């Protein structure tokens, strides 16, 4: 949106109005609109500079609340946003204001409670229609059939974006921003607990809010199958077809459940084709990419990959930590940073488990009335932590041990028998037995095809040395903790 308002003139005109008409109330309103225009202008420039994704995550959640002594005051309901903008974007914001010669010298960002923020007047021009619709959508939840079964927590605002989910998030944003089908289909895939369902619900909520006239239908593949079977049983497949083909946006979660079920697959294929042919948006999720969906017919698999295929990768430490920070904001229990760091280090499998771990220690603390410490978290989550440390691979062990003893990784597989090499190799075998669930023969294969008795001998030897040689024992313990702590 182009904005040709001349701010300096605007202010002086308002000042003149104030003195001649002495209508200070009115002037205040006008000047706050002018001031807000400053923010709108800066906001739209930073959006161009940092891109839509970063803008949506960090700048959009800021709400203009006033201008005082050339300082723009902003509020946000997220501490994460506040801190991130302060650390990453405040210089940029100032530079933009300067380069556009706006009467703004700084920005102040204040965190507010969620309930307060909802009561506040809607100030951001760009956000006004959106918030109103969102609120309406929220109120009418029971009246809108398409929001049935949507989790209120699974919104874009609650979705933390970082490298592993950037692409999927960008694709989802594109879908909600366009009035017609952006990509057909949008196919999201990832392992469990990494945010597919969350993103799908977020898309549904957002389309409902922005374009309430579009009919959105979200359901799991299992439900799709169930309804189809019901329709067959009641000889009512026409109505079934009608129902699905009348929507504007069809979302089916976990389509891998359809694989192997021939008649459901066939029906799904027809529904899918009919919708795509009419330019309706189809959004699907699965635990694998379209090409890897075994038990799916080839023509369907290839059709599923025609649009945009976006995968969500395994979490990174940064993403896990950011998610925990935002979880902490939503509870009233005080969880120290060190505990969040500990969790982000230890629970690496997926976000669902990470959230589960966080909830468990928060619940435990409030039940027992104990303050939360790393020690307490370690105790409370002992089973989870053991489970995830068992996921160390033999490759990890071989790498870590060779690095520790400064030998080549190929020596792990070689036949060299010099003690300086054989001993570390035995330690690696011992750790493989202790930290993984692999059997002796499996470990033997991983160490250059050695016999299982060689591994058994190594394990015994290392156990013996541990009890007799404290220096040796320290080495092994250090390696064990390095490997279990990653
Ligand atoms: P999937 O469908 O891929 O198995 P879900 O969407 O059910 O995973 O996500 C599991 C849990 O993790 C949910 O509670 C969800 O809110 C949370 N979650 C996943 N990704 C994110 C994210 N990027 N930011 C915040 N929470 C997330
Ligand atoms: Mg899911």
């Amino acid at each position: 949106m182009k904005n040709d308002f001349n701010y300096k003139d605007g202010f002086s005109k308002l000042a003149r109005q104030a003195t001649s008409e002495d209508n200070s109330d009115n002037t205040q309103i006008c000047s706050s609109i002018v001031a807000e225009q400053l923010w709108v202008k800066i906001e739209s420039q930073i959006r161009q500079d940092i891109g839509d994704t970063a803008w949506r995550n960090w700048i959009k959640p800021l709400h203009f609340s006033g201008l005082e002594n050339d300082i723009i005051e902003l509020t946000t309901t997220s501490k994460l946003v506040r801190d991130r903008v302060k650390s990453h974007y405040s210089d940029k914001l100032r530079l933009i204001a300067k380069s556009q010669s706006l009467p703004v010298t700084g920005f102040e960002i204040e965190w507010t409670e969620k309930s307060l923020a909802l009561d506040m007047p809607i100030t951001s021009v760009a956000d006004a229609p959106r918030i109103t619709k969102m609120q309406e959508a929220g109120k009418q939840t029971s009246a809108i059939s398409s929001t049935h079964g949507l989790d209120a927590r699974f919104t874009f605002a609650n979705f933390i974006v970082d490298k592993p989910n950037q692409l999927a998030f960008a694709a989802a944003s594109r879908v909600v921003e366009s009035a017609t089908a952006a990509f057909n289909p949008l196919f999201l895939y990832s392992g469990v607990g990494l945010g597919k369902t969350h993103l799908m619900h977020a898309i549904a909520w957002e389309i409902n809010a922005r374009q309430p006239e579009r009919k959105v239908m979200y359901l799991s593949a299992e439900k799709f199958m169930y309804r189809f079977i019901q329709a067959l049983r009641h000889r009512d497949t026409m109505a079934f077809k009608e129902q699905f083909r009348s929507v504007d946006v069809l979302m089916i979660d976990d389509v891998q459940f359809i694989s192997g079920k021939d008649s459901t697959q066939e029906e799904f294929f027809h529904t899918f084709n009919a919708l795509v042919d009419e330019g309706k948006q189809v959004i699907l999720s699965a635990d694998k990419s379209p090409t890897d969906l075994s038990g799916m017919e080839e023509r369907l698999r290839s059709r599923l990959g025609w649009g945009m295929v976006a995968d969500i990768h395994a979490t990174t430490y940064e993403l896990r930590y950011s998610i925990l920070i935002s979880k902490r904001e939503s509870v009233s229990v005080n969880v120290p940073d060190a505990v969040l760091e500990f969790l982000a280090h230890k629970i690496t499998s997926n976000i669902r488990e990470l959230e589960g771990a966080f909830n468990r220690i928060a619940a435990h603390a409030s039940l027992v009335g104990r303050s939360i410490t790393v020690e307490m978290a370690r105790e409370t989550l002992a089973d989870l932590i053991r489970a995830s440390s068992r996921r160390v691979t033999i490759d990890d062990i071989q790498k870590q041990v060779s690095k520790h003893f400064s030998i080549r990784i190929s020596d792990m597989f070689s036949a060299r028998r010099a003690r300086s090499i054989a001993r570390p190799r035995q330690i690696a075998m011992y750790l493989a037995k202790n930290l993984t669930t692999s059997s002796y023969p499996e470990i033997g294969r991983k160490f250059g095809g050695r016999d299982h008795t060689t591994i058994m001998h190594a394990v015994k030897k290392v156990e013996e040395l541990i009890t007799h040689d404290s220096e040796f024992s320290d080495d092994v313990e250090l390696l064990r903790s390095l490997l279990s702590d990653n």
Side-chain angles (χ1 to χ4, degrees):
M1 193 179 60
K2 204 159 182 282
N3 195 330
D4 291 329
F5 192 89
N6 180 327
Y7 297 96
K8 288 210 169 111
D9 285 350
F11 271 121
S12 47
K13 235 181 251 163
L14 285 166
R16 275 200 301 281
Q17 271 174 15
T19 44
S20 62
E21 293 164 23
D22 198 24
N23 185 347
S24 50
D25 256 12
N26 197 19
T27 308
Q28 253 173 20
I29 294 167
C30 290
S31 64
S32 86
I33 293 172
V34 174
E36 177 158 3
Q37 288 294 313
L38 295 172
W39 172 240
V40 170
K41 185 145 195 184
I42 293 167
E43 197 194 358
S44 82
Q45 182 59 46
I46 199 167
R47 183 178 189 171
Q48 283 179 22
D49 293 354
I50 66 178
D52 276 353
T53 308
W55 171 81
R56 173 188 284 280
N57 272 319
W58 306 114
I59 306 298
K60 199 154 160 245
L62 298 172
H63 297 280
F64 175 85
S65 68
L67 178 80
E68 194 82 52
N69 299 328
D70 293 347
I71 305 277
I72 286 190
E73 294 165 344
L74 302 161
T75 59
T76 174
T77 56
S78 158
K79 287 183 184 160
L80 184 66
V81 166
R82 178 196 62 192
D83 297 344
R84 178 73 167 235
V85 173
K86 279 188 182 166
S87 62
H88 284 64
Y89 299 114
S90 54
D91 286 347
K92 202 171 217 88
L93 288 168
R94 264 197 299 276
L95 272 176
I96 291 173
K98 198 167 169 205
S99 70
Q100 301 195 3
S101 315
L102 304 177
V104 174
T105 55
F107 298 82
E108 218 168 79
I109 304 167
E110 202 182 319
W111 173 78
T112 59
E113 298 270 9
K114 280 205 169 63
S115 54
L116 266 178
L118 280 179
D119 291 340
M120 281 189 336
I122 295 156
T123 47
S124 162
V125 174
D127 260 333
R130 221 190 113 226
I131 290 181
T132 328
K133 277 181 201 156
M134 283 274 234
Q135 287 169 341
E136 275 168 17
K139 272 188 219 135
Q140 296 171 1
T141 310
S142 53
I144 303 171
S145 64
S146 48
T147 52
H148 273 166
L150 293 182
D151 192 315
R153 294 165 306 158
F154 291 178
T155 60
F156 277 122
N158 290 340
F159 191 82
I160 311 288
V161 184
D162 211 333
K163 282 209 186 75
N165 54 30
Q166 216 163 32
L167 177 68
F169 178 82
S173 313
R174 176 68 64 79
V175 163
V176 303
E177 276 159 12
S178 60
T180 52
F183 332 96
N184 239 343
L186 167 59
F187 192 102
L188 301 170
Y189 78 92
S190 78
V192 293
L194 295 178
K196 298 180 296 291
T197 299
H198 187 138
L199 263 187
M200 287 190 108
H201 286 210
I203 293 172
W205 283 119
E206 194 76 9
I207 294 180
N208 262 317
R210 287 180 183 226
Q211 308 171 28
E213 66 288 351
R214 284 178 101 189
K215 197 170 162 201
V216 182
M217 185 184 272
Y218 165 90
L219 76 172
S220 65
E222 274 171 309
K223 201 163 246 164
F224 180 88
M225 230 159 63
Y226 173 78
R227 290 214 197 151
F228 176 61
I229 293 164
Q230 288 282 326
L232 283 179
R233 197 166 290 153
H234 296 112
R235 298 176 194 287
D236 202 10
T237 48
M238 275 313 285
F240 174 84
K241 285 191 199 332
E242 275 305 301
Q243 191 188 9
F244 284 99
R245 295 183 190 178
S246 68
V247 304
D248 297 302
V249 182
L250 177 66
M251 300 201 220
I252 300 190
D253 206 349
D254 289 320
V255 291
Q256 73 272 9
F257 281 115
I258 292 180
S259 53
K261 320 282 188 318
D262 288 347
S263 56
T264 317
Q265 221 179 99
E266 190 67 28
E267 188 48 45
F268 171 69
F269 187 62
H270 290 309
T271 308
F272 176 79
N273 280 336
L275 288 172
V276 171
D277 285 348
E278 285 181 41
K280 309 289 182 62
Q281 178 72 60
V282 180
I283 304 168
L284 306 167
S285 87
D287 64 353
K288 294 184 194 68
S289 75
T291 40
D292 291 335
L293 281 173
S294 54
M296 270 281 178
E297 245 187 87
E298 173 55 32
R299 59 174 182 156
L300 180 52
R301 262 190 291 164
S302 84
R303 193 79 173 79
L304 295 181
W306 279 12
M308 168 81 192
V309 177
D311 58 339
I312 304 178
H313 298 272
T315 59
T316 55
Y317 174 80
E318 259 217 327
L319 176 62
R320 294 194 294 274
Y321 189 67
S322 306
I323 286 174
L324 289 170
I325 297 237
S326 97
K327 284 286 294 176
R328 176 168 68 184
E329 282 171 14
S330 68
V331 298
S332 52
V333 194
N334 176 34
V335 188
D337 287 348
V339 172
L340 299 189
E341 280 164 23
F342 173 76
L343 291 179
H345 271 300
K346 290 289 184 181
I347 316 289
T348 55
S349 49
N350 63 53
I351 301 171
R352 187 171 303 137
E353 274 194 23
L354 185 70
E355 285 186 341
F358 178 90
N359 292 338
R360 218 156 99 185
I361 57 161
H364 192 85
S366 73
L367 278 177
V368 184
R370 240 172 97 185
S371 60
I372 301 175
T373 61
V374 172
E375 250 337 285
M376 175 268 195
R378 197 192 293 277
E379 273 169 37
T380 315
L381 302 173
D383 54 336
L384 263 183
I385 290 166
R386 233 177 290 124
S388 65
S389 56
R390 239 184 272 130
R391 286 185 198 124
V392 178
T393 66
I394 295 181
D395 290 344
D396 297 335
I397 295 171
Q398 291 173 332
K399 259 187 229 142
Q400 188 79 52
V401 174
S402 356
K403 196 169 120 202
H404 184 78
F405 291 102
S406 305
I407 61 175
R408 285 195 303 258
I409 192 151
S410 58
D411 285 329
M412 289 287 151
F413 327 116
S414 75
R416 292 178 65 190
R417 306 178 73 156
R419 173 163 301 177
S420 60
I421 285 161
R423 200 62 96 212
R425 197 195 290 132
Q426 286 179 323
I427 293 177
M429 291 169 180
Y430 164 87
L431 290 169
K433 185 65 202 152
N434 276 269
L435 299 178
T436 75
T437 50
S438 308
S439 65
Y440 287 118
E442 277 164 355
I443 298 173
R445 277 195 290 280
K446 285 277 194 177
F447 282 84
R450 287 181 157 78
D451 192 74
H452 72 279
T453 52
T454 310
I455 312 300
M456 287 166 80
H457 172 75
V459 171
K460 234 196 201 136
K461 182 79 202 165
V462 172
E463 281 169 351
E464 204 181 290
L465 286 169
I466 286 174
T467 53
H468 292 113
D469 180 342
S470 64
E471 207 172 299
F472 181 87
S473 159
D474 287 347
D475 260 347
V476 175
E477 273 324 295
L478 176 64
L479 279 164
R480 190 202 294 275
S481 74
L482 283 172
L483 283 159
S484 324
D485 272 357
N486 59 14

